[in-house]
Amino acid sequence: MGIVDFILNLAGLLLWLNWRSLKFDPLQKRTPVTLVGTLRPAVQKKFRRWHLLAAIGALIILRALLYWQIGSAIHWTGNLDLGVIALSFRSDWFWRILLFSFLSFGLMLWTFYLWLLLLSILAKPQPVHRFVQIQLGEVDHWSRRTKIFLPFVCSAIAWWVASWLFDWLQIIPASVSPW
């Protein structure tokens, strides 16, 4: 099931990358100033950018249903390895496995963006850096120091907020103090 989870996360990541880069498609803008602007697509596209986001949401929900049906039959437990702590999600409770599905995709997306930040800090080679600029947007223009500390600050805030949910669902032991 771990390989299935990885493949479905990769499919979701590719949908995310298509969603982020679709607005930079030169055939979508049709500016007649350049030679590319004179080209017209042979077939009118019937999907919009929001369709890709809807596909990601459907992928997360459908794989949660798959994990719930198959995982509970084979007594599988979804594990989310965060490095310092590994969280376990029972597959016989649908809402927990839905949370696992969402967080598993979020962890893959977070790891991908950490690598993009590293490539942004290095800022070489140029063809790769253009892809990084498209995916990071304005964050790519921030200072190196800010980009170095950004993952630590965002991770701390995300864990602080998520720990309340994990405590409420009894995935992690209750904290002694809220601080």
Side-chain angles (χ1 to χ4, degrees):
M1 288 295 275
I3 293 174
V4 171
D5 184 50
F6 177 75
I7 291 170
L8 292 175
N9 278 334
L10 201 56
L13 182 64
L14 290 174
L15 285 169
W16 179 268
L17 292 176
N18 282 333
W19 173 74
R20 288 282 298 157
S21 60
L22 195 61
K23 65 181 174 183
F24 296 102
D25 186 9
L27 294 179
Q28 294 286 339
K29 293 183 181 177
R30 295 190 190 161
T31 55
V33 176
T34 63
L35 182 61
V36 175
T38 61
L39 296 175
R40 305 270 186 242
V43 178
Q44 186 70 3
K45 292 187 178 181
K46 295 182 181 178
F47 71 92
R48 306 254 187 253
R49 287 185 69 210
W50 68 268
H51 289 127
L52 293 169
L53 285 180
I56 293 171
L59 176 72
I60 289 172
I61 292 170
L62 289 175
R63 80 179 187 168
L65 286 170
L66 175 79
Y67 295 160
W68 182 49
Q69 292 294 318
I70 295 175
S72 61
I74 62 172
H75 303 291
W76 174 74
T77 302
N79 290 318
L80 199 62
D81 187 11
L82 301 176
V84 177
I85 188 171
L87 302 174
S88 296
F89 297 84
R90 291 178 49 178
S91 61
D92 57 344
W93 293 354
F94 177 72
W95 295 108
R96 282 193 184 187
I97 208 67
L98 180 64
L99 180 64
F100 168 74
S101 180
F102 178 76
L103 292 176
S104 177
F105 172 68
L107 182 63
M108 177 161 256
L109 197 62
W110 179 251
T111 305
F112 177 73
Y113 274 95
L114 284 177
W115 282 106
L116 285 180
L117 272 174
L118 178 65
L119 289 174
S120 175
I121 291 169
L122 299 175
K124 298 278 191 247
Q126 191 56 31
V128 174
H129 191 67
R130 178 66 183 139
F131 173 75
V132 171
Q133 285 176 331
I134 289 172
Q135 296 303 319
L136 287 180
E138 275 301 310
V139 175
D140 186 57
H141 301 296
W142 292 359
S143 69
R144 286 184 187 208
R145 182 174 294 160
T146 305
K147 289 189 276 189
I148 289 172
F149 288 113
L150 183 66
F152 298 109
V153 172
C154 290
S155 295
I157 292 170
W159 176 254
W160 182 57
V161 171
S163 66
W164 291 345
L165 177 65
F166 296 149
D167 183 27
W168 182 67
L169 291 172
Q170 298 176 348
I171 294 173
I172 61 172
S175 61
V176 177
S177 167
W179 299 104

